[in-house]
Amino acid sequence: MKRFLSLFLAVVMVFTILPYEAKAADGDYNATITFIDNTQKFSNGTNTITKEFTNPNEAIGNFGKYDNGSGFFKQYFVGWSNEANPDGTSLYFSHENIGKIIPNGGEKTLYAHWVGGLDLLTLSAKNGLVIDINSGVSDKETLPNNLIKVSEGFDGSSDKYLVAYYDQEKEINEIKFSTYLIPHKYVALMTYANPGGVLSNAGDWANLNDGAQYTHIDIELNMDEDITVANSLDLSFTSYAFKPHAFISEDNTRLDGAKVQAKNDPTVRMEASNNDTNPNHIKLRNTIRNDFNTTYSIVGDYAQVTSPYKLESNRIQDFIIKKDIAKNLAKNNIGKNFGTYENVNKDLDFLISNGFIDGISNPASLKSEIPRVDSSDFSITFVAPIARFDRNSLNLGENEDKQNEGFSIFALNGAMNSDDFNTGTQPNIELSQAGDTFIKDDNYKIVETKITFNGKDYIFKGWNTQADGKGKFVTRETVITPDMLNQKDNDKVEEDMTLYAIWAEEESKPEPWMPVKPIPDSGLLNKEDHKAYMFGYPDWTFRQEGNMTRAEATAMFARLMKDYPKEQRTYNINYPDVAMDQWHYEAVGYMSEMNIVEGYQDGTFQPNAPITRAEFATMASRFDELAKTGGANFIDVENNHWALAYINSAATKGWVNGYPDGTFKPNQSITRAEVVTVTNRMLNRKADEVFVIENIDKITNFTDLTPAHWAYYNIQEATNGHDYNRLENGIDEDWIQLNGEEFNFAVSGYAE
């Protein structure tokens, strides 16, 4: 699949000079300037003339110099320079004031600078204008709301390649687009100075055909049909020589509703009502600024005049790549190496943008066509990130060749078992044939859940983003967010995320992390006050499909306790992985002291491990009497399962549900959406849906949550403190008002 953006420019150049106004200097001023012109004599019959200036605001002047010679040997005066053979870095135009050149007065020599018409034609045929797409725009500015994998060429005018991660939450991918025309200094000087009006601007301006004889630049964009172009474009064109004239259709007629308002400013902002029969075709005609209308005339110095002409979009939403296009590109690139910043893989499937320029160079009678000059390629594509599963057993004595458990693709902001690429395959040991789901057996673990070294057994605890287990535990249901990519911007490795197997030494079979005896309902939880007990993240997301750690679950229930410490204190706990300077220390210490939670037999609490559905059902059930039930209610919870009584009790009370296939999935991590649903049922809290919708601008809104989500109202119940009346049925609520109150614990510095 190849994508093309072609750019057509017809160029004939002209501009005249205007007086330059300088501010007067205080005190006496005297400057003596010797002007030397080795091409054309002055009125005194010599190549040298001296002039004294007593006013720093006086223009340098041109002494009547415009052109010299005839035919192909004709030359044109453009300004004065400090050097006899100037490189252009010290060129002054005749309208600039003398005080700018020599502010404090004194003596100075200036040399006349001429440009030959033949030189101009030669330059036009070679490198008079160079076109470059997104010159000076970084890869991150080009796709401003995407995470970039690799890019190449954005530090110059060479071919540019940009490889971005596919993000399944993004319905559109916005492009920052700009095109630079880089003029050779002679071209820039001639178009701006237009000595003696040598470049003509005659012709029928109503004629919008390609062959119109008046001076103009046509910028023509032909976007691929897979790139969506807005119906109304907000564009800017910057040049000291040209101004926008009209938006033109494919058949060279003026588009109705296209607004162009040129003025005496180098940058002109335009609204393009793109109502052509082909909205992916955009053509802007630009004419010379000095068309004898001072409204559009401007002055500039050498640096400004020789700066690139630039056409750019002001709104990134004007040019977008829709989700289905990005997804197809990512699918087509599966199995291909992405390359590095130094050498992006050119075999990836790209959207390719490019352009070319041609036109007419017409200094007096030296009219000549400008041969076509092509731009560099500008290529964008999307790829599926790749995770590598690392056995992480080198420190246990296994060989290095056993560490790679396989590669798997995924989509950002999707879970591996439910993202846009899922087809049910397993990770593959070969990178080029990466699978698209998680390594699993029935419990979503590697096949070997126990390994033995030197007579010691080690139990598999889960997959973690860090080899030491201090990162985030990831299951098939975990939503993979950009911050979890531990390999982004790292071209030394091929994968984008490494998931490490975490092993713990097994001395004896660990007991569940909560005591087995339930605590009768003694009113420990505050069920009357409907304050907020769950919170979002600093980026205004709730991450409803994300996991909840054991520390987070402990802290949530600690906040809901009626009786809790109101100030900091120390606790007699000996968990080696829970320190006093950690945010969850107070909650874990208090709940452990109350015998509501406890750690493993190896002494750890494992606060950052995701809490499973069985563990959460057990924890919830401990705040109430266990319901009397028989055998297993779910086909995957056997009679000898350690949490059988708790799961059955919670299910009998309607707190938890199983799945349509009759399973409970006890070892699956519980999501934040499931947590608030279960907790609301425990607390007999049910959102007033009418109030929520009518006050949607006042409630807590999360950027990743919409009313269409199945747990939307349960999340609103948990995150919005409110006053309420209980209806007669004992279940429904009539919300009176939002009160902004929150359940807090002794230390409230933690924000989820």
Side-chain angles (χ1 to χ4, degrees):
M1 182 193 306
K2 299 294 182 184
R3 300 292 182 263
F4 294 92
L5 162 66
S6 62
L7 176 62
F8 173 86
L9 302 103
V11 181
V12 183
M13 298 150 287
V14 67
F15 195 85
T16 58
I17 60 176
L18 293 177
Y20 182 87
E21 295 182 3
K23 296 180 179 180
D26 295 332
D28 295 333
Y29 181 85
N30 186 273
T32 301
I33 307 298
T34 299
F35 295 92
I36 299 176
D37 184 353
N38 294 318
T39 299
Q40 185 185 69
K41 294 182 179 181
F42 291 91
S43 59
N44 62 5
T46 70
N47 296 104
T48 302
I49 195 169
T50 300
K51 180 178 178 180
E52 291 196 5
F53 295 83
T54 58
N55 185 349
N57 297 310
E58 185 177 351
I60 306 172
N62 60 6
F63 297 92
K65 296 181 180 295
Y66 296 110
D67 56 35
N68 183 61
S70 62
F72 285 98
F73 301 100
K74 201 165 190 174
Q75 293 180 305
Y76 302 94
F77 174 78
V78 292
W80 302 97
S81 176
N82 292 328
E83 299 89 20
N85 298 301
D87 60 6
T89 58
S90 60
L91 189 71
Y92 307 106
F93 298 115
S94 57
H95 64 264
E96 295 187 78
N97 65 70
I98 195 65
K100 179 179 179 180
I101 303 174
I102 183 168
N104 300 318
E107 297 182 355
K108 191 174 185 64
T109 300
L110 293 178
Y111 298 85
H113 190 17
W114 296 78
V115 173
L118 186 59
D119 292 336
L120 184 60
L121 293 177
T122 302
L123 287 165
S124 297
K126 295 180 179 179
N127 61 348
L129 281 173
V130 176
I131 177 175
D132 189 28
I133 298 175
N134 275 35
S135 177
V137 180
S138 70
D139 53 0
K140 293 179 175 60
E141 291 172 319
T142 298
L143 283 179
N145 296 317
N146 290 77
L147 187 62
I148 307 302
K149 165 62 179 176
V150 294
S151 67
E152 179 183 335
F154 281 84
D155 54 353
S157 60
S158 58
D159 288 351
K160 297 176 178 62
Y161 297 89
L162 190 154
V163 181
Y165 291 112
Y166 172 72
D167 187 335
Q168 72 175 40
E169 280 196 343
K170 293 184 65 63
E171 294 298 325
I172 59 173
N173 301 273
E174 299 147 323
I175 306 171
K176 171 64 176 177
F177 174 76
S178 62
T179 299
Y180 285 67
L181 303 181
I182 306 171
H184 187 280
K185 65 179 180 180
Y186 288 170
V187 173
L189 296 175
M190 279 291 291
T191 56
Y192 174 75
N194 190 19
V198 66
L199 298 177
S200 64
N201 195 35
D204 179 10
W205 282 26
N207 178 8
L208 300 178
N209 293 324
D210 292 335
Q213 290 302 302
Y214 56 86
T215 302
H216 63 273
I217 296 176
D218 284 345
I219 302 177
E220 190 167 342
L221 308 178
N222 292 303
M223 310 292 291
D224 185 271
E225 61 182 6
D226 286 336
I227 297 177
T228 301
V229 182
N231 291 329
S232 178
L233 301 176
D234 186 352
L235 304 173
S236 289
F237 181 70
T238 301
S239 172
Y240 276 77
F242 301 94
K243 68 181 189 318
H245 178 58
F247 284 98
I248 306 173
S249 67
E250 282 186 302
D251 59 0
N252 292 321
T253 59
R254 187 184 298 268
L255 289 177
D256 294 334
K259 299 178 181 178
V260 177
Q261 296 179 343
K263 57 183 179 179
N264 57 343
D265 189 289
T267 298
V268 179
R269 193 162 182 169
M270 305 159 289
E271 177 185 342
S273 298
N274 192 20
N275 57 356
D276 194 2
T277 54
N278 178 10
N280 283 49
H281 172 269
I282 304 166
K283 184 176 182 180
L284 174 65
R285 175 154 295 184
N286 302 277
T287 56
I288 60 173
R289 281 194 169 276
N290 184 36
D291 54 4
F292 308 106
N293 185 339
T294 57
T295 302
Y296 310 133
S297 299
I298 56 175
V299 295
D301 58 24
Y302 175 82
Q304 294 169 326
V305 169
T306 57
S307 62
Y309 311 149
K310 180 171 62 175
L311 175 68
E312 62 181 338
S313 59
N314 297 310
R315 295 188 305 235
I316 56 176
Q317 62 266 37
D318 282 356
F319 300 91
I320 63 172
I321 301 171
K322 291 186 176 180
K323 179 179 181 179
D324 60 335
I325 302 299
K327 181 170 66 174
N328 288 336
L329 285 168
K331 284 185 175 180
N332 292 341
N333 288 326
I334 291 174
K336 300 177 181 178
N337 188 299
F338 306 153
T340 69
Y341 272 98
E342 290 80 15
N343 186 20
V344 172
N345 181 9
K346 308 306 188 294
D347 292 332
L348 294 173
D349 194 11
F350 286 99
L351 302 182
I352 299 178
S353 306
N354 54 34
F356 65 90
I357 59 175
D358 59 14
I360 299 172
S361 178
N362 189 13
S365 61
L366 301 180
K367 177 179 177 181
S368 176
E369 291 186 359
I370 300 174
R372 169 171 167 161
V373 179
D374 291 281
S375 75
S376 56
D377 281 346
F378 174 69
S379 306
I380 298 177
T381 194
F382 295 86
V383 294
I386 292 180
R388 182 177 65 84
F389 296 88
D390 192 306
R391 190 174 176 86
N392 196 27
S393 58
L394 280 174
N395 61 335
L396 300 180
E398 283 197 324
N399 295 331
E400 185 172 355
D401 58 3
K402 296 188 65 175
Q403 300 308 302
N404 184 16
E405 294 282 356
F407 295 92
S408 184
I409 63 171
F410 59 92
L412 283 185
N413 291 306
M416 288 191 183
N417 68 334
S418 60
D419 65 28
D420 287 346
F421 303 119
N422 185 263
T423 58
T425 64
Q426 291 298 299
N428 195 294
I429 201 71
E430 298 294 332
L431 175 67
S432 61
Q433 301 176 10
D436 63 359
T437 56
F438 213 73
I439 288 184
K440 67 179 183 68
D441 60 10
D442 291 341
N443 293 320
Y444 309 120
K445 299 178 180 178
I446 61 175
V447 175
E448 294 180 78
T449 58
K450 180 188 292 187
I451 55 179
T452 302
F453 295 105
N454 299 324
K456 293 183 179 180
D457 293 332
Y458 294 86
I459 301 298
F460 175 78
K461 296 297 184 181
W463 296 102
N464 198 281
T465 56
Q466 295 185 22
D468 59 5
K470 294 182 179 180
K472 185 177 181 64
F473 277 91
V474 177
T475 70
R476 295 178 72 245
E477 289 75 25
T478 303
V479 175
I480 308 299
T481 54
D483 60 293
M484 297 169 63
L485 300 191
N486 54 14
Q487 308 295 352
K488 63 178 182 293
D489 294 333
N490 185 350
D491 57 13
K492 304 303 181 185
V493 294
E494 296 176 311
E495 67 269 14
D496 302 293
M497 178 172 66
T498 304
L499 294 176
Y500 298 92
I502 303 301
W503 305 92
E505 184 177 346
E506 183 187 43
E507 296 181 356
S508 60
K509 184 176 180 180
E511 295 294 327
W513 69 289
M514 282 81 71
V516 296
K517 292 184 178 181
I519 300 175
D521 184 7
S522 56
L524 293 177
L525 298 180
N526 187 336
K527 298 182 180 181
E528 298 300 323
D529 297 324
H530 284 203
K531 302 178 184 179
Y533 65 87
M534 280 282 279
F535 309 99
Y537 292 85
D539 62 357
W540 289 99
T541 61
F542 186 78
R543 304 180 192 175
Q544 53 272 13
E545 303 305 325
N547 296 333
M548 195 171 199
T549 67
R550 304 207 301 193
E552 290 172 337
T554 302
M556 184 197 73
F557 278 116
R559 288 195 291 267
L560 287 167
M561 298 282 283
K562 285 183 178 179
D563 184 24
Y564 57 84
K566 303 301 189 294
E567 57 186 31
Q568 289 183 328
R569 47 162 294 195
T570 57
Y571 295 90
N572 186 25
I573 56 175
N574 297 311
Y575 305 127
D577 52 354
V578 178
M580 292 185 66
D581 60 352
Q582 294 175 311
W583 69 265
H584 49 259
Y585 171 79
E586 307 285 341
V588 173
Y590 176 68
M591 298 292 272
S592 296
E593 192 175 82
M594 294 288 292
N595 292 320
I596 295 174
V597 299
E598 64 182 16
Y600 282 99
Q601 289 186 359
D602 64 359
T604 64
F605 187 78
Q606 299 187 24
N608 295 320
I611 186 170
T612 66
R613 287 167 54 85
E615 290 172 334
F616 192 83
T618 300
M619 190 176 193
S621 295
R622 298 196 67 256
F623 288 96
D624 199 359
E625 293 283 356
L626 287 179
K628 295 181 179 180
T629 61
N633 291 346
F634 303 100
I635 61 176
D636 57 345
V637 182
E638 299 178 354
N639 288 330
N640 62 351
H641 193 284
W642 67 268
L644 174 67
Y646 305 115
I647 295 172
N648 284 352
S649 178
T652 300
K653 294 174 182 178
W655 295 353
V656 298
N657 298 319
Y659 292 88
D661 61 0
T663 63
F664 182 74
K665 299 183 180 179
N667 296 321
Q668 178 174 299
S669 298
I670 193 168
T671 67
R672 287 166 56 83
E674 292 171 332
V675 165
V676 296
T677 300
V678 173
T679 306
N680 286 341
R681 291 169 181 169
M682 291 176 58
L683 301 174
N684 194 25
R685 291 179 60 162
K686 186 177 181 183
D688 182 345
E689 297 182 8
V690 174
F691 182 96
V692 169
I693 295 301
E694 290 180 348
N695 295 272
I696 199 165
D697 59 331
K698 298 178 183 178
I699 62 174
T700 301
N701 286 291
F702 301 103
T703 59
D704 59 344
L705 181 67
T706 68
H709 191 275
W710 67 269
Y712 176 79
Y713 293 104
N714 272 311
I715 293 171
Q716 296 301 339
E717 172 69 43
T719 57
N720 289 276
H722 54 274
D723 299 326
Y724 70 100
N725 289 322
R726 181 74 67 188
L727 299 186
E728 293 182 358
N729 61 14
I731 299 175
D732 294 322
E733 299 177 20
D734 178 18
W735 284 17
I736 302 172
Q737 63 181 3
L738 299 173
N739 58 31
E741 295 183 1
E742 302 174 350
F743 282 117
N744 291 308
F745 195 62
V747 178
S748 58
Y750 165 67
E752 295 172 32

